[in-house]
Amino acid sequence: MTQESALSILKTGRNVFLTGEPGSGKTHTINRYIPYLRQLKINAAITASTGIAATHINGMTLHSWSGVGIKKKLTDTDIRKIRKYRGKKINKTAVLVIDEISMLDASVLDLVDTVCRVIKGSELPFGGMQVIFVGDFFQLPPVRHQDEAPYKFAFESNAWQSANPAVCYLTEQHRQSDSELAGLLSAIRSGNILDLHYECLDSCLARSPTSSVVGDYVVRRPNNQKITKLFPHNADVDKINLKELNELPGSPVSFIMKSRGNERFVEQLKKGCLSPEELKLKKGAVVMFTKNNFELGYVNGTVGTVMGFSENDFDEEDVSPIVKTREGKKIIVGPAEWTVEENGEAIAKIEQLPLRLAWAMTIHKSQGATLDEAFIDLKGAFVEGQGYVALSRVKTLGGLYLNGYNENALKVHPSVSEQDSMFRNKSAEIESEFSQLSDDDLTLKYNAFILSAGGELIKDDRKNRIKYS
């Protein structure tokens, strides 16, 4: 399905599961839908399953928005507190977006459904609001601690079944431009990994006669440039980044995060932001941008090197790093903002340089980033989807430097594989259904949803027709 078709279905108010392979445009489609809703004065809540995902969409975690927090079940007292502190916001919400749905446990989704029904006084799924699940179940699953029961995917919840979302399976590809890599990722998704796919991976193993040693790892780079390394565990990441920074000459320049607004949501932003609260940089540091800014020429995942620091004409102590990207573009990097928004207004905000040290990072934190090149160590992969997420960060096999992989690295959960074929079939069915609707039929559906959601129809005076762009 194309993004345009998915957007059309979203505008009818149907509950939707927006999915597709990495790079298919899920976030881009949502980023087009939200301004449309705001233009029509429809209240939408933008949430995600994790703090990191929430910062990517200027939203908050679903746990915070709904008031369920870390609870495993809700008592009558819990419901009364949620009604007191979150009831007004939930009541006003007509559209609920939940990003990175693969990482949300079914039990949490059921709790949120219960809260929405009680607060809104309706037995309809999620109290009658439009709910949009966004994500790809082949990516990272819910985090499970050792003392917890096995996780269940969101699609296994009662709430999902009740919502009965129309599946919009995006098929366009805007990241991978390499047919071999695309074939490898498709093989992992289907569970049909052949000898040729193993040969493809083995060809990317980093150890070779032309290798150069970087830190404790060997990276095949003829020009000896250091590239971002992805690891399953935090310990490897912290060790490499600190070691590399300390080996550079000179004293580091520190950049401290600023914040304001609701303290609880400020803390959520800090935990989810890929830029650290204190960012230490030196000339020669390898960094990665942590936010999109198309005008300045960088996106979340763009990698470069600090070439020096530019002094501010008005404050000699205020300096900005000059970063040269791998493409040769020089950018004077100023502070960026991350916000939590409700009804289009910022209720919490943090400000920091959109950078992080990028000699290494965890696979979990890489989800959502697009890298031209990456050194990936999958020998310690420990959960389904970890290898798939890591490998799908790069655009081509030429940018993949592999340090090894274990049997867990290429595994996907069997329930996900089975469900995926059903999702594809349902997507084809809904696409066929909507293709038979005329423009007038769609307009009627759009109007009906706008009015039911408390929105305002916007007319184009020149044509006296409803505008929807």
Side-chain angles (χ1 to χ4, degrees):
M1 182 181 294
T2 65
Q3 294 177 26
E4 291 299 330
S5 295
L7 194 59
S8 179
I9 294 170
L10 285 168
K11 289 178 179 180
T12 66
R14 290 280 296 267
N15 294 334
V16 165
F17 171 38
L18 183 64
T19 189
E21 298 184 19
S24 59
K26 299 182 289 294
T27 300
H28 180 71
T29 302
I30 289 299
N31 285 341
R32 292 178 61 193
Y33 186 49
I34 298 307
Y36 164 84
L37 293 175
R38 288 174 177 161
Q39 180 188 24
L40 299 171
K41 311 299 183 186
I42 296 175
N43 286 315
I46 317 303
T47 73
S49 60
T50 69
I52 291 174
T55 62
H56 291 166
I57 56 174
N58 286 341
M60 65 181 70
T61 64
L62 181 66
H63 308 69
S64 294
W65 175 83
S66 64
V68 304
I70 60 173
K71 295 180 178 65
K72 303 300 180 185
K73 60 180 181 180
L74 294 174
T75 65
D76 290 342
T77 300
D78 293 329
I79 292 292
R80 284 196 295 272
K81 287 182 178 179
I82 292 172
R83 187 191 298 276
K84 179 179 179 180
Y85 294 107
R86 305 299 299 162
K88 187 175 181 180
K89 297 295 183 183
I90 292 174
N91 250 326
K92 286 184 176 181
T93 302
V95 179
L96 174 62
V97 177
I98 308 174
D99 198 14
E100 296 292 6
I101 192 66
S102 73
M103 299 183 73
L104 188 73
D105 191 276
S107 61
V108 178
L109 193 61
D110 281 336
L111 289 180
V112 174
D113 178 38
T114 297
V115 166
C116 292
R117 292 183 191 225
V118 172
I119 297 298
K120 285 181 169 286
S122 170
E123 284 303 310
L124 292 173
F126 293 89
M129 69 180 73
Q130 180 191 31
V131 61
I132 305 166
F133 309 117
V134 186
D136 175 16
F137 285 105
F138 283 102
Q139 299 198 47
L140 294 169
V143 175
R144 174 183 173 270
H145 300 289
Q146 289 185 344
D147 58 341
E148 293 181 339
Y151 64 76
K152 286 188 176 181
F153 290 104
F155 61 74
E156 299 177 289
S157 67
N158 293 327
W160 183 288
Q161 302 304 319
S162 298
N164 189 28
V167 180
C168 295
Y169 206 122
L170 300 180
T171 54
E172 298 169 306
Q173 182 52 245
H174 302 279
R175 179 180 295 163
Q176 276 79 35
S177 55
D178 184 320
S179 60
E180 277 192 290
L181 177 57
L184 170 62
L185 295 175
S186 294
I188 295 175
R189 290 178 77 94
S190 66
N192 188 29
I193 304 174
L194 307 176
D195 287 343
L196 64 93
H197 300 118
Y198 286 110
E199 291 171 3
C200 181
L201 282 173
D202 291 342
S203 71
C204 298
L205 288 173
R207 301 184 189 281
S208 76
T210 59
S211 296
S212 59
V213 178
V214 178
D216 296 331
Y217 294 88
V218 180
V219 182
R220 174 164 54 87
R221 287 287 286 149
N223 59 5
N224 201 30
Q225 280 189 332
K226 299 175 183 180
I227 62 176
T228 300
K229 305 178 184 70
L230 303 184
F231 293 90
H233 300 282
N234 276 304
D236 295 309
V237 170
D238 295 340
K239 176 183 176 183
I240 291 174
N241 281 334
L242 181 60
K243 181 178 185 293
E244 293 285 356
L245 185 66
N246 288 339
E247 287 183 353
L248 293 174
S251 300
V253 180
S254 292
F255 299 88
I256 307 299
M257 182 180 289
K258 299 177 182 178
S259 63
R260 64 182 177 88
N262 183 289
E263 290 185 8
R264 182 160 58 94
F265 292 125
V266 164
E267 285 304 309
Q268 174 190 309
L269 284 171
K270 288 180 178 179
K271 289 180 181 179
C273 184
L274 289 176
S275 293
E277 288 191 53
E278 182 178 9
L279 175 65
K280 292 184 177 181
L281 299 177
K282 291 182 182 180
K283 182 179 179 180
V286 176
V287 293
M288 185 182 78
F289 286 88
T290 59
K291 200 171 179 65
N292 295 336
N293 190 319
F294 300 106
E295 291 182 1
L296 293 181
Y298 62 80
V299 297
N300 177 24
T302 296
V303 176
T305 303
V306 176
M307 307 302 293
F309 298 90
S310 172
E311 294 185 0
N312 189 304
D313 292 338
F314 303 101
D315 186 349
E316 292 182 357
E317 294 183 359
D318 185 13
V319 298
S320 300
I322 304 170
V323 175
K324 184 178 181 181
T325 69
R326 289 282 157 80
E327 293 74 32
K329 183 179 180 62
K330 289 186 179 181
I331 301 172
I332 299 176
V333 185
E337 294 180 347
W338 288 260
T339 61
V340 171
E341 295 183 358
E342 279 192 341
N343 302 326
E345 295 184 3
I347 59 173
K349 180 183 295 184
I350 61 174
E351 184 180 283
Q352 176 59 295
L353 296 182
L355 297 172
R356 60 167 289 134
L357 295 178
W359 286 288
M361 66 188 305
T362 62
I363 293 169
H364 272 73
K365 288 186 177 179
S366 75
Q367 185 158 306
T370 301
L371 303 172
D372 292 322
E373 297 175 301
F375 169 88
I376 300 174
D377 190 331
L378 292 173
K379 292 185 294 185
F382 58 90
V383 68
E384 294 99 342
Q386 209 165 31
Y388 181 79
V389 168
L391 296 172
S392 59
R393 296 310 93 200
V394 296
K395 299 177 182 178
T396 67
L397 278 178
L400 172 60
Y401 302 91
L402 194 61
N403 196 50
Y405 55 94
N406 62 21
E407 61 180 13
N408 290 323
L410 306 184
K411 283 184 178 179
V412 295
H413 199 287
S415 296
V416 172
S417 297
E418 181 180 346
Q419 195 73 23
D420 190 62
S421 61
M422 297 175 61
F423 287 148
R424 289 181 183 272
N425 290 337
K426 287 186 176 182
S427 180
E429 290 173 5
I430 195 71
E431 188 171 24
S432 175
E433 174 187 329
F434 268 74
S435 68
Q436 298 174 36
L437 297 177
S438 67
D439 289 344
D440 288 340
D441 290 333
L442 283 173
T443 297
L444 289 174
K445 288 182 177 293
Y446 294 165
N447 286 350
F449 171 59
I450 292 167
L451 295 175
S452 68
E456 300 176 4
L457 299 179
I458 297 177
K459 291 189 176 182
D460 184 339
D461 293 334
R462 292 172 302 170
K463 301 178 181 178
N464 198 29
R465 295 182 62 184
I466 304 298
K467 289 177 62 178
Y468 294 106
S469 56

